Amino acid sequence: MSARILLIEDDPAILELVSFHLERDGYQVILASDGREAIQAYNRHHPDLVIVDLMLPEIDGFEVSRRIRKVSQVPIIMLTAKGDEQSRLRGFELGADDYVPKPFSPKEL
């Protein structure tokens, strides 16, 4: 059984690119395009890893991460255009395990 990754991204091009590479590498990818959908998907699928964009509709990625961290220690990677120091530090304070700024290489991720 392959590891399940919850990919939370509102940009369809990035969602497609990242999911393609993850699936090619043998992972099962669960997709969500806004924060509300992401929390529902997390509760339904209990993924092995969460990759979350910060700037999401409905509920932002910081809040999604905070809610997940309240119930789980699942690894969280923040993938975002918010590359400033304050955003990175806030991400780590909320329990992110890594922070990958956009633009990024799928190999790097």
Side-chain angles (χ1 to χ4, degrees):
M1 183 170 166
S2 63
R4 288 178 305 220
I5 299 175
L6 174 57
L7 175 58
I8 311 161
E9 172 63 59
D10 65 331
D11 182 324
I14 293 175
L15 196 69
E16 184 178 336
L17 173 72
V18 174
S19 64
F20 169 80
H21 284 277
L22 292 172
E23 288 172 346
R24 186 191 67 192
D25 289 343
Y27 297 102
Q28 177 186 353
V29 181
I30 302 147
L31 304 176
S33 58
D34 68 54
R36 195 171 314 284
E37 184 182 342
I39 292 166
Q40 292 170 349
Y42 178 81
N43 290 329
R44 187 172 36 254
H45 298 284
H46 301 285
D48 302 297
L49 172 69
V50 175
I51 301 173
V52 60
D53 183 17
L54 294 181
M55 296 182 291
L56 295 169
E58 304 292 330
I59 301 171
D60 73 24
F62 287 122
E63 180 63 16
V64 169
S65 299
R66 188 187 68 75
R67 291 184 189 187
I68 290 172
R69 197 48 86 222
K70 283 175 73 173
V71 298
S72 174
Q73 289 302 308
V74 66
I76 298 174
I77 298 173
M78 293 185 170
L79 178 66
T80 182
K82 294 185 88 151
D84 62 280
E85 180 181 22
Q86 183 178 5
S87 294
R88 286 192 313 270
L89 291 174
R90 182 173 179 210
F92 287 123
E93 287 170 359
L94 289 172
D97 295 281
D98 204 352
Y99 196 102
V100 179
K102 296 175 185 175
F104 66 98
S105 158
K107 287 183 179 183
E108 174 187 11
L109 180 61

